[in-house]
Amino acid sequence: MRVTVCCGTCLENEEKLAKTARAIGNALAKNHIELVYCAPLAGLMREIVKGVFEKEGAVTGIYPSGSFAEDLPPIVTGSSTYTEFYTDTREEQTQQLLEMSDAYLVLPGGFGTLEELSSVCTFLTLGPLPGKPIGVLVNEGLKDGLKPLLTMFEAWAELPETLFFLSDVESLIQRLAAKGSGKECLAG
């Protein structure tokens, strides 16, 4: 199973959020879920990748050609797996992210994170990705303001079964895994 993580690349004195990001990476690897991402390896994303590698999990990076070259992960040791894909445009990159993943996880971020969430929601409601779950981590860095914002859009009515908000990392990862695989979930 693969999960695309949408999050910010800046950590401004967010030590607790960095620990949460590392815990997410650990939980993904522990549950045999491959991380898929498309950002520079900085901030929250760096911590998530470190967490996955700590538990010898799998990571796939999708980059527009020529972008983020200096930010790619260090050489992976142990039984961790790292794969890179390159695309010609940002649009192709987004398409790859959407198609490659079984579920999506949203953490605090900026406009890029919001754009990625919007693309996923658009493809779920209008395109070829019905039923893929989207989990949003609600904590110190991502307050409850996102849910009221999303409810302003008409398409919200089409997402309640696939879009969910949780504050507990383990429950969030388990629910993504269960919904992404089509199995029942006891958590969350």
Side-chain angles (χ1 to χ4, degrees):
M1 179 174 175
R2 292 177 169 159
V3 171
T4 289
V5 175
C6 308
C7 69
T9 56
C10 296
L11 276 178
E12 298 174 5
N13 300 320
E14 295 286 347
E15 190 174 314
K16 188 172 183 179
L17 198 52
K19 288 180 183 177
T20 300
R22 185 77 64 101
I24 288 169
N26 288 172
L28 289 171
K30 184 176 92 175
N31 287 283
H32 307 289
I33 299 171
E34 182 177 342
L35 166 66
V36 180
Y37 79 100
C38 71
L41 193 60
L44 292 178
M45 191 57 72
R46 177 182 298 278
E47 295 304 314
I48 294 170
V49 169
K50 284 181 183 178
V52 171
F53 287 164
E54 283 174 356
K55 300 297 181 189
E56 301 180 343
V59 175
T60 295
I62 304 172
Y63 313 101
S65 295
S67 296
F68 314 134
E70 67 280 359
D71 295 318
L72 296 179
I75 295 173
V76 180
T77 59
S79 62
S80 294
T81 302
Y82 175 72
T83 307
E84 297 173 5
F85 290 98
Y86 291 90
T87 62
D88 292 328
T89 66
R90 175 90 167 110
E91 291 76 22
E92 289 176 10
Q93 178 190 36
T94 300
Q95 184 73 27
Q96 284 288 325
L97 280 173
L98 294 170
E99 291 176 357
M100 188 175 268
S101 293
D102 301 300
Y104 308 92
L105 175 57
V106 181
L107 284 88
F111 286 115
T113 303
L114 186 58
E115 176 191 8
E116 290 169 350
L117 174 60
S118 177
S119 294
V120 170
C121 289
T122 299
F123 271 79
L124 286 171
T125 56
L126 301 176
L129 302 177
K132 291 188 179 186
I134 306 169
V136 179
L137 181 66
V138 180
N139 64 11
E140 310 77 32
L142 190 60
K143 304 270 189 259
D144 291 332
L146 182 60
K147 192 171 184 178
L149 173 68
L150 293 175
T151 59
M152 292 177 11
F153 298 95
E154 288 180 29
W156 172 258
E158 300 174 37
L159 294 174
E161 294 300 314
T162 57
L163 179 63
F164 54 91
F165 297 79
L166 291 172
S167 59
D168 178 68
V169 170
E170 284 295 326
S171 295
L172 182 62
I173 299 302
Q174 289 176 10
R175 187 156 177 197
L176 283 173
K179 286 190 165 278
S181 67
K183 297 177 182 172
E184 265 315 298
C185 178
L186 301 176

